[in-house]
PDB file of all heavy atoms in Angstrom:
ATOM      1  N   THR A   1     175.008  69.935   5.487  1.00 98.00           N
ATOM      2  CA  THR A   1     173.886  70.365   4.653  1.00 98.00           C
ATOM      3  C   THR A   1     173.286  71.564   5.357  1.00 98.00           C
ATOM      4  O   THR A   1     172.953  71.630   6.547  1.00 98.00           O
ATOM      5  CB  THR A   1     172.846  69.385   4.485  1.00 98.00           C
ATOM      6  OG1 THR A   1     172.339  68.905   5.733  1.00 98.00           O
ATOM      7  CG2 THR A   1     173.431  68.214   3.692  1.00 98.00           C
ATOM      8  N   VAL A   2     173.073  72.703   4.598  1.00 98.00           N
ATOM      9  CA  VAL A   2     172.697  73.972   5.211  1.00 98.00           C
ATOM     10  C   VAL A   2     171.560  74.600   4.345  1.00 98.00           C
ATOM     11  O   VAL A   2     171.634  74.552   3.161  1.00 98.00           O
ATOM     12  CB  VAL A   2     173.975  74.991   5.215  1.00 98.00           C
ATOM     13  CG1 VAL A   2     173.476  76.301   5.831  1.00 98.00           C
ATOM     14  CG2 VAL A   2     175.163  74.287   5.888  1.00 98.00           C
ATOM     15  N   ALA A   3     170.633  75.195   5.004  1.00 98.00           N
ATOM     16  CA  ALA A   3     169.652  76.038   4.374  1.00 98.00           C
ATOM     17  C   ALA A   3     169.800  77.435   5.003  1.00 98.00           C
ATOM     18  O   ALA A   3     169.803  77.580   6.212  1.00 98.00           O
ATOM     19  CB  ALA A   3     168.254  75.556   4.688  1.00 98.00           C
ATOM     20  N   VAL A   4     169.857  78.424   4.141  1.00 98.00           N
ATOM     21  CA  VAL A   4     169.919  79.909   4.479  1.00 98.00           C
ATOM     22  C   VAL A   4     168.620  80.583   4.176  1.00 98.00           C
ATOM     23  O   VAL A   4     168.399  80.621   2.961  1.00 98.00           O
ATOM     24  CB  VAL A   4     171.132  80.604   3.952  1.00 98.00           C
ATOM     25  CG1 VAL A   4     171.169  82.051   4.437  1.00 98.00           C
ATOM     26  CG2 VAL A   4     172.477  79.827   4.212  1.00 98.00           C
ATOM     27  N   LEU A   5     167.949  81.010   5.118  1.00 98.00           N
ATOM     28  CA  LEU A   5     166.647  81.752   4.786  1.00 98.00           C
ATOM     29  C   LEU A   5     166.750  83.223   5.118  1.00 98.00           C
ATOM     30  O   LEU A   5     167.357  83.559   6.122  1.00 98.00           O
ATOM     31  CB  LEU A   5     165.439  81.199   5.633  1.00 98.00           C
ATOM     32  CG  LEU A   5     165.278  79.654   5.575  1.00 98.00           C
ATOM     33  CD1 LEU A   5     164.097  79.277   6.493  1.00 98.00           C
ATOM     34  CD2 LEU A   5     165.084  79.177   4.162  1.00 98.00           C
ATOM     35  N   GLU A   6     166.263  84.000   4.259  1.00 98.00           N
ATOM     36  CA  GLU A   6     166.385  85.449   4.454  1.00 98.00           C
ATOM     37  C   GLU A   6     164.947  86.158   4.047  1.00 98.00           C
ATOM     38  O   GLU A   6     164.506  85.916   2.975  1.00 98.00           O
ATOM     39  CB  GLU A   6     167.438  86.070   3.542  1.00 98.00           C
ATOM     40  CG  GLU A   6     167.519  87.645   3.498  1.00 98.00           C
ATOM     41  CD  GLU A   6     167.505  88.262   4.833  1.00 98.00           C
ATOM     42  OE1 GLU A   6     168.470  87.865   5.694  1.00 98.00           O
ATOM     43  OE2 GLU A   6     166.717  89.162   5.277  1.00 98.00           O
ATOM     44  N   ARG A   7     164.436  86.943   4.892  1.00 96.00           N
ATOM     45  CA  ARG A   7     163.084  87.617   4.580  1.00 96.00           C
ATOM     46  C   ARG A   7     163.307  88.673   3.557  1.00 96.00           C
ATOM     47  O   ARG A   7     162.337  88.949   2.872  1.00 96.00           O
ATOM     48  CB  ARG A   7     162.528  88.158   5.922  1.00 96.00           C
ATOM     49  CG  ARG A   7     163.325  89.265   6.513  1.00 96.00           C
ATOM     50  CD  ARG A   7     162.769  89.741   7.836  1.00 96.00           C
ATOM     51  NE  ARG A   7     163.679  90.576   8.555  1.00 96.00           N
ATOM     52  CZ  ARG A   7     163.748  90.718   9.831  1.00 96.00           C
ATOM     53  NH1 ARG A   7     162.883  90.048  10.567  1.00 96.00           N
ATOM     54  NH2 ARG A   7     164.447  91.605  10.412  1.00 96.00           N
ATOM     55  N   ASP A   8     164.443  89.266   3.362  1.00 96.00           N
ATOM     56  CA  ASP A   8     164.598  90.252   2.354  1.00 96.00           C
ATOM     57  C   ASP A   8     164.529  89.665   0.963  1.00 96.00           C
ATOM     58  O   ASP A   8     164.843  88.424   0.873  1.00 96.00           O
ATOM     59  CB  ASP A   8     165.956  90.978   2.541  1.00 96.00           C
ATOM     60  CG  ASP A   8     165.872  92.055   3.630  1.00 96.00           C
ATOM     61  OD1 ASP A   8     164.941  92.268   4.257  1.00 96.00           O
ATOM     62  OD2 ASP A   8     167.105  92.429   4.085  1.00 96.00           O
ATOM     63  N   ALA A   9     164.122  90.392  -0.036  1.00 97.00           N
ATOM     64  CA  ALA A   9     164.093  89.888  -1.444  1.00 97.00           C
ATOM     65  C   ALA A   9     165.181  89.606  -2.111  1.00 97.00           C
ATOM     66  O   ALA A   9     165.288  89.002  -3.169  1.00 97.00           O
ATOM     67  CB  ALA A   9     163.018  90.846  -2.169  1.00 97.00           C
ATOM     68  N   GLY A  10     166.397  90.282  -1.575  1.00 97.00           N
ATOM     69  CA  GLY A  10     167.639  90.089  -2.193  1.00 97.00           C
ATOM     70  C   GLY A  10     168.794  90.671  -1.491  1.00 97.00           C
ATOM     71  O   GLY A  10     168.447  91.274  -0.399  1.00 97.00           O
ATOM     72  N   PRO A  11     170.026  90.720  -1.926  1.00 97.00           N
ATOM     73  CA  PRO A  11     171.123  91.367  -1.194  1.00 97.00           C
ATOM     74  C   PRO A  11     170.825  92.849  -0.987  1.00 97.00           C
ATOM     75  O   PRO A  11     170.064  93.488  -1.800  1.00 97.00           O
ATOM     76  CB  PRO A  11     172.299  91.194  -2.168  1.00 97.00           C
ATOM     77  CG  PRO A  11     171.847  89.967  -3.100  1.00 97.00           C
ATOM     78  CD  PRO A  11     170.394  90.064  -3.314  1.00 97.00           C
ATOM     79  N   ILE A  12     171.442  93.410   0.006  1.00 95.00           N
ATOM     80  CA  ILE A  12     171.252  94.840   0.296  1.00 95.00           C
ATOM     81  C   ILE A  12     171.958  95.563  -0.768  1.00 95.00           C
ATOM     82  O   ILE A  12     172.987  95.201  -1.469  1.00 95.00           O
ATOM     83  CB  ILE A  12     171.750  95.173   1.668  1.00 95.00           C
ATOM     84  CG1 ILE A  12     173.266  95.018   1.876  1.00 95.00           C
ATOM     85  CG2 ILE A  12     170.931  94.395   2.768  1.00 95.00           C
ATOM     86  CD1 ILE A  12     173.860  95.540   3.144  1.00 95.00           C
ATOM     87  N   ASP A  13     171.569  96.981  -0.853  1.00 94.00           N
ATOM     88  CA  ASP A  13     172.361  97.839  -1.757  1.00 94.00           C
ATOM     89  C   ASP A  13     172.770  99.170  -1.095  1.00 94.00           C
ATOM     90  O   ASP A  13     173.091 100.051  -1.709  1.00 94.00           O
ATOM     91  CB  ASP A  13     171.487  98.217  -3.051  1.00 94.00           C
ATOM     92  CG  ASP A  13     170.259  98.795  -2.749  1.00 94.00           C
ATOM     93  OD1 ASP A  13     169.951  99.125  -1.463  1.00 94.00           O
ATOM     94  OD2 ASP A  13     169.415  99.151  -3.620  1.00 94.00           O
ATOM     95  N   GLN A  14     172.843  99.028   0.276  1.00 92.00           N
ATOM     96  CA  GLN A  14     173.336 100.213   0.998  1.00 92.00           C
ATOM     97  C   GLN A  14     174.637  99.902   1.751  1.00 92.00           C
ATOM     98  O   GLN A  14     175.040  98.751   1.831  1.00 92.00           O
ATOM     99  CB  GLN A  14     172.255 100.623   2.156  1.00 92.00           C
ATOM    100  CG  GLN A  14     170.933 100.954   1.654  1.00 92.00           C
ATOM    101  CD  GLN A  14     170.114  99.617   1.736  1.00 92.00           C
ATOM    102  OE1 GLN A  14     170.218  98.716   2.514  1.00 92.00           O
ATOM    103  NE2 GLN A  14     169.016  99.571   0.834  1.00 92.00           N
ATOM    104  N   SER A  15     175.262 101.011   2.187  1.00 92.00           N
ATOM    105  CA  SER A  15     176.652 100.830   2.787  1.00 92.00           C
ATOM    106  C   SER A  15     176.439 100.133   4.091  1.00 92.00           C
ATOM    107  O   SER A  15     177.114  99.186   4.470  1.00 92.00           O
ATOM    108  CB  SER A  15     177.243 102.163   3.053  1.00 92.00           C
ATOM    109  OG  SER A  15     177.471 102.819   1.901  1.00 92.00           O
ATOM    110  N   ARG A  16     175.580 100.609   5.053  1.00 91.00           N
ATOM    111  CA  ARG A  16     175.328 100.132   6.394  1.00 91.00           C
ATOM    112  C   ARG A  16     176.688  99.997   7.135  1.00 91.00           C
ATOM    113  O   ARG A  16     177.392 100.975   7.158  1.00 91.00           O
ATOM    114  CB  ARG A  16     174.559  98.721   6.353  1.00 91.00           C
ATOM    115  CG  ARG A  16     173.197  98.889   5.692  1.00 91.00           C
ATOM    116  CD  ARG A  16     172.352  97.623   5.997  1.00 91.00           C
ATOM    117  NE  ARG A  16     171.146  97.738   5.211  1.00 91.00           N
ATOM    118  CZ  ARG A  16     170.290  96.778   5.209  1.00 91.00           C
ATOM    119  NH1 ARG A  16     170.448  95.542   5.884  1.00 91.00           N
ATOM    120  NH2 ARG A  16     169.100  96.899   4.498  1.00 91.00           N
ATOM    121  N   ALA A  17     176.899  98.827   7.808  1.00 90.00           N
ATOM    122  CA  ALA A  17     178.225  98.732   8.572  1.00 90.00           C
ATOM    123  C   ALA A  17     179.441  98.871   7.639  1.00 90.00           C
ATOM    124  O   ALA A  17     179.376  98.465   6.530  1.00 90.00           O
ATOM    125  CB  ALA A  17     178.253  97.354   9.188  1.00 90.00           C
ATOM    126  N   LEU A  18     180.460  99.615   8.076  1.00 91.00           N
ATOM    127  CA  LEU A  18     181.610  99.957   7.304  1.00 91.00           C
ATOM    128  C   LEU A  18     182.950  99.356   7.703  1.00 91.00           C
ATOM    129  O   LEU A  18     183.853  99.313   6.830  1.00 91.00           O
ATOM    130  CB  LEU A  18     181.711 101.528   7.229  1.00 91.00           C
ATOM    131  CG  LEU A  18     180.534 102.280   6.615  1.00 91.00           C
ATOM    132  CD1 LEU A  18     180.842 103.800   6.838  1.00 91.00           C
ATOM    133  CD2 LEU A  18     180.433 102.023   5.179  1.00 91.00           C
ATOM    134  N   LEU A  19     183.030  98.914   8.897  1.00 92.00           N
ATOM    135  CA  LEU A  19     184.371  98.643   9.512  1.00 92.00           C
ATOM    136  C   LEU A  19     184.505  97.034   9.568  1.00 92.00           C
ATOM    137  O   LEU A  19     183.680  96.449  10.148  1.00 92.00           O
ATOM    138  CB  LEU A  19     184.549  99.236  10.788  1.00 92.00           C
ATOM    139  CG  LEU A  19     185.913  98.983  11.494  1.00 92.00           C
ATOM    140  CD1 LEU A  19     187.028  99.520  10.587  1.00 92.00           C
ATOM    141  CD2 LEU A  19     185.808  99.733  12.927  1.00 92.00           C
ATOM    142  N   VAL A  20     185.589  96.479   9.004  1.00 95.00           N
ATOM    143  CA  VAL A  20     185.944  95.176   9.260  1.00 95.00           C
ATOM    144  C   VAL A  20     187.231  95.112  10.104  1.00 95.00           C
ATOM    145  O   VAL A  20     188.220  95.753   9.768  1.00 95.00           O
ATOM    146  CB  VAL A  20     186.176  94.491   7.955  1.00 95.00           C
ATOM    147  CG1 VAL A  20     186.660  92.942   8.096  1.00 95.00           C
ATOM    148  CG2 VAL A  20     184.981  94.467   7.024  1.00 95.00           C
ATOM    149  N   HIS A  21     187.192  94.480  11.208  1.00 93.00           N
ATOM    150  CA  HIS A  21     188.337  94.369  12.221  1.00 93.00           C
ATOM    151  C   HIS A  21     189.324  93.368  11.778  1.00 93.00           C
ATOM    152  O   HIS A  21     188.942  92.428  11.074  1.00 93.00           O
ATOM    153  CB  HIS A  21     187.749  94.070  13.549  1.00 93.00           C
ATOM    154  CG  HIS A  21     187.061  95.275  14.130  1.00 93.00           C
ATOM    155  ND1 HIS A  21     187.538  96.428  14.636  1.00 93.00           N
ATOM    156  CD2 HIS A  21     185.629  95.338  14.358  1.00 93.00           C
ATOM    157  CE1 HIS A  21     186.451  97.229  15.056  1.00 93.00           C
ATOM    158  NE2 HIS A  21     185.366  96.632  14.918  1.00 93.00           N
ATOM    159  N   PRO A  22     190.558  93.502  12.292  1.00 94.00           N
ATOM    160  CA  PRO A  22     191.595  92.433  11.915  1.00 94.00           C
ATOM    161  C   PRO A  22     191.225  91.004  12.251  1.00 94.00           C
ATOM    162  O   PRO A  22     191.378  90.133  11.504  1.00 94.00           O
ATOM    163  CB  PRO A  22     192.753  92.887  12.875  1.00 94.00           C
ATOM    164  CG  PRO A  22     192.644  94.422  12.934  1.00 94.00           C
ATOM    165  CD  PRO A  22     191.088  94.606  12.949  1.00 94.00           C
ATOM    166  N   ARG A  23     190.468  90.856  13.354  1.00 94.00           N
ATOM    167  CA  ARG A  23     190.040  89.536  13.773  1.00 94.00           C
ATOM    168  C   ARG A  23     189.242  88.872  12.666  1.00 94.00           C
ATOM    169  O   ARG A  23     189.275  87.654  12.434  1.00 94.00           O
ATOM    170  CB  ARG A  23     189.520  89.397  15.143  1.00 94.00           C
ATOM    171  CG  ARG A  23     189.084  88.016  15.609  1.00 94.00           C
ATOM    172  CD  ARG A  23     190.340  87.084  15.689  1.00 94.00           C
ATOM    173  NE  ARG A  23     189.995  85.759  16.127  1.00 94.00           N
ATOM    174  CZ  ARG A  23     190.568  84.623  15.613  1.00 94.00           C
ATOM    175  NH1 ARG A  23     191.519  84.726  14.799  1.00 94.00           N
ATOM    176  NH2 ARG A  23     190.161  83.481  16.112  1.00 94.00           N
ATOM    177  N   THR A  24     188.281  89.648  12.155  1.00 95.00           N
ATOM    178  CA  THR A  24     187.414  89.227  11.047  1.00 95.00           C
ATOM    179  C   THR A  24     188.220  88.770   9.832  1.00 95.00           C
ATOM    180  O   THR A  24     187.994  87.778   9.306  1.00 95.00           O
ATOM    181  CB  THR A  24     186.392  90.235  10.675  1.00 95.00           C
ATOM    182  OG1 THR A  24     185.613  90.620  11.872  1.00 95.00           O
ATOM    183  CG2 THR A  24     185.388  89.777   9.630  1.00 95.00           C
ATOM    184  N   LEU A  25     189.174  89.531   9.562  1.00 96.00           N
ATOM    185  CA  LEU A  25     189.985  89.236   8.308  1.00 96.00           C
ATOM    186  C   LEU A  25     190.809  87.927   8.600  1.00 96.00           C
ATOM    187  O   LEU A  25     190.961  87.095   7.677  1.00 96.00           O
ATOM    188  CB  LEU A  25     191.004  90.384   8.087  1.00 96.00           C
ATOM    189  CG  LEU A  25     190.337  91.665   7.517  1.00 96.00           C
ATOM    190  CD1 LEU A  25     191.428  92.797   7.488  1.00 96.00           C
ATOM    191  CD2 LEU A  25     189.745  91.491   6.198  1.00 96.00           C
ATOM    192  N   GLU A  26     191.145  87.777   9.853  1.00 96.00           N
ATOM    193  CA  GLU A  26     191.909  86.510  10.227  1.00 96.00           C
ATOM    194  C   GLU A  26     190.925  85.359  10.079  1.00 96.00           C
ATOM    195  O   GLU A  26     191.317  84.259   9.521  1.00 96.00           O
ATOM    196  CB  GLU A  26     192.320  86.415  11.655  1.00 96.00           C
ATOM    197  CG  GLU A  26     193.463  87.506  11.903  1.00 96.00           C
ATOM    198  CD  GLU A  26     193.802  87.656  13.324  1.00 96.00           C
ATOM    199  OE1 GLU A  26     192.990  87.192  14.236  1.00 96.00           O
ATOM    200  OE2 GLU A  26     194.806  88.416  13.675  1.00 96.00           O
ATOM    201  N   LEU A  27     189.641  85.554  10.461  1.00 95.00           N
ATOM    202  CA  LEU A  27     188.691  84.482  10.421  1.00 95.00           C
ATOM    203  C   LEU A  27     188.277  84.130   8.988  1.00 95.00           C
ATOM    204  O   LEU A  27     187.990  82.991   8.571  1.00 95.00           O
ATOM    205  CB  LEU A  27     187.367  84.760  11.241  1.00 95.00           C
ATOM    206  CG  LEU A  27     187.630  84.748  12.755  1.00 95.00           C
ATOM    207  CD1 LEU A  27     186.454  85.420  13.495  1.00 95.00           C
ATOM    208  CD2 LEU A  27     187.861  83.389  13.262  1.00 95.00           C
ATOM    209  N   TRP A  28     188.276  85.148   8.068  1.00 96.00           N
ATOM    210  CA  TRP A  28     188.019  84.988   6.689  1.00 96.00           C
ATOM    211  C   TRP A  28     188.988  84.372   5.915  1.00 96.00           C
ATOM    212  O   TRP A  28     188.867  83.785   4.828  1.00 96.00           O
ATOM    213  CB  TRP A  28     187.660  86.350   6.126  1.00 96.00           C
ATOM    214  CG  TRP A  28     186.287  86.959   6.381  1.00 96.00           C
ATOM    215  CD1 TRP A  28     185.275  86.196   7.061  1.00 96.00           C
ATOM    216  CD2 TRP A  28     185.752  88.208   6.102  1.00 96.00           C
ATOM    217  NE1 TRP A  28     184.118  87.032   7.080  1.00 96.00           N
ATOM    218  CE2 TRP A  28     184.411  88.243   6.535  1.00 96.00           C
ATOM    219  CE3 TRP A  28     186.334  89.290   5.432  1.00 96.00           C
ATOM    220  CZ2 TRP A  28     183.607  89.473   6.347  1.00 96.00           C
ATOM    221  CZ3 TRP A  28     185.598  90.474   5.223  1.00 96.00           C
ATOM    222  CH2 TRP A  28     184.246  90.466   5.659  1.00 96.00           C
ATOM    223  N   ARG A  29     190.283  84.386   6.321  1.00 97.00           N
ATOM    224  CA  ARG A  29     191.392  83.830   5.515  1.00 97.00           C
ATOM    225  C   ARG A  29     191.219  82.395   5.175  1.00 97.00           C
ATOM    226  O   ARG A  29     191.336  82.151   4.006  1.00 97.00           O
ATOM    227  CB  ARG A  29     192.744  84.035   6.315  1.00 97.00           C
ATOM    228  CG  ARG A  29     193.935  83.471   5.608  1.00 97.00           C
ATOM    229  CD  ARG A  29     195.197  83.505   6.420  1.00 97.00           C
ATOM    230  NE  ARG A  29     195.957  84.706   6.045  1.00 97.00           N
ATOM    231  CZ  ARG A  29     197.044  85.037   6.592  1.00 97.00           C
ATOM    232  NH1 ARG A  29     197.541  84.336   7.628  1.00 97.00           N
ATOM    233  NH2 ARG A  29     197.727  86.076   6.143  1.00 97.00           N
ATOM    234  N   PRO A  30     190.939  81.498   6.133  1.00 97.00           N
ATOM    235  CA  PRO A  30     190.676  80.076   5.683  1.00 97.00           C
ATOM    236  C   PRO A  30     189.448  79.927   4.790  1.00 97.00           C
ATOM    237  O   PRO A  30     189.189  78.890   4.167  1.00 97.00           O
ATOM    238  CB  PRO A  30     190.550  79.277   6.953  1.00 97.00           C
ATOM    239  CG  PRO A  30     190.162  80.317   7.968  1.00 97.00           C
ATOM    240  CD  PRO A  30     190.803  81.583   7.562  1.00 97.00           C
ATOM    241  N   LEU A  31     188.603  80.891   4.776  1.00 97.00           N
ATOM    242  CA  LEU A  31     187.340  80.887   3.899  1.00 97.00           C
ATOM    243  C   LEU A  31     187.677  81.266   2.541  1.00 97.00           C
ATOM    244  O   LEU A  31     186.824  81.085   1.620  1.00 97.00           O
ATOM    245  CB  LEU A  31     186.283  81.770   4.525  1.00 97.00           C
ATOM    246  CG  LEU A  31     185.832  81.527   5.984  1.00 97.00           C
ATOM    247  CD1 LEU A  31     184.518  82.367   6.234  1.00 97.00           C
ATOM    248  CD2 LEU A  31     185.616  80.076   6.314  1.00 97.00           C
ATOM    249  N   GLY A  32     188.830  81.847   2.376  1.00 96.00           N
ATOM    250  CA  GLY A  32     189.344  82.155   0.981  1.00 96.00           C
ATOM    251  C   GLY A  32     188.795  83.613   0.462  1.00 96.00           C
ATOM    252  O   GLY A  32     188.710  83.818  -0.679  1.00 96.00           O
ATOM    253  N   ILE A  33     188.357  84.445   1.399  1.00 96.00           N
ATOM    254  CA  ILE A  33     187.816  85.783   0.941  1.00 96.00           C
ATOM    255  C   ILE A  33     188.615  86.988   1.469  1.00 96.00           C
ATOM    256  O   ILE A  33     188.273  88.009   1.032  1.00 96.00           O
ATOM    257  CB  ILE A  33     186.401  85.982   1.340  1.00 96.00           C
ATOM    258  CG1 ILE A  33     186.139  86.010   2.821  1.00 96.00           C
ATOM    259  CG2 ILE A  33     185.470  84.884   0.694  1.00 96.00           C
ATOM    260  CD1 ILE A  33     184.780  86.324   3.210  1.00 96.00           C
ATOM    261  N   THR A  34     189.626  86.808   2.275  1.00 97.00           N
ATOM    262  CA  THR A  34     190.386  87.953   2.811  1.00 97.00           C
ATOM    263  C   THR A  34     191.043  88.745   1.775  1.00 97.00           C
ATOM    264  O   THR A  34     190.957  89.916   1.753  1.00 97.00           O
ATOM    265  CB  THR A  34     191.394  87.509   3.829  1.00 97.00           C
ATOM    266  OG1 THR A  34     190.686  86.832   5.004  1.00 97.00           O
ATOM    267  CG2 THR A  34     192.176  88.649   4.394  1.00 97.00           C
ATOM    268  N   ASP A  35     191.736  88.114   0.834  1.00 97.00           N
ATOM    269  CA  ASP A  35     192.484  88.848  -0.249  1.00 97.00           C
ATOM    270  C   ASP A  35     191.478  89.775  -0.978  1.00 97.00           C
ATOM    271  O   ASP A  35     191.780  90.874  -1.341  1.00 97.00           O
ATOM    272  CB  ASP A  35     193.243  87.962  -1.123  1.00 97.00           C
ATOM    273  CG  ASP A  35     194.390  87.226  -0.450  1.00 97.00           C
ATOM    274  OD1 ASP A  35     194.781  87.711   0.615  1.00 97.00           O
ATOM    275  OD2 ASP A  35     194.886  86.229  -1.055  1.00 97.00           O
ATOM    276  N   GLU A  36     190.443  89.267  -1.387  1.00 97.00           N
ATOM    277  CA  GLU A  36     189.430  89.976  -2.119  1.00 97.00           C
ATOM    278  C   GLU A  36     188.753  91.123  -1.338  1.00 97.00           C
ATOM    279  O   GLU A  36     188.583  92.122  -1.850  1.00 97.00           O
ATOM    280  CB  GLU A  36     188.279  89.030  -2.798  1.00 97.00           C
ATOM    281  CG  GLU A  36     187.403  89.746  -3.656  1.00 97.00           C
ATOM    282  CD  GLU A  36     188.004  90.332  -4.907  1.00 97.00           C
ATOM    283  OE1 GLU A  36     189.128  89.947  -5.277  1.00 97.00           O
ATOM    284  OE2 GLU A  36     187.297  91.184  -5.556  1.00 97.00           O
TER     285      GLU A  36
END
């Protein structure tokens, strides 16, 4: 059971960080989001 709290009013709408490394894509694969 998880609660996620965020002080911002909603998702960001700026580019900010741009680079996703291969290791991140590897970690995302079992989460089901790498292909997208």
Side-chain angles (χ1 to χ4, degrees):
T1 57
V2 183
V4 181
L5 306 183
E6 171 56 55
R7 65 184 169 208
D8 289 347
I12 64 169
D13 60 359
Q14 305 92 27
S15 297
R16 298 192 188 179
L18 298 171
L19 180 61
V20 176
H21 293 285
R23 183 59 182 144
T24 301
L25 293 171
E26 292 171 354
L27 292 169
W28 280 353
R29 179 185 262 176
L31 308 188
I33 63 173
T34 296
D35 290 344
E36 184 61 17

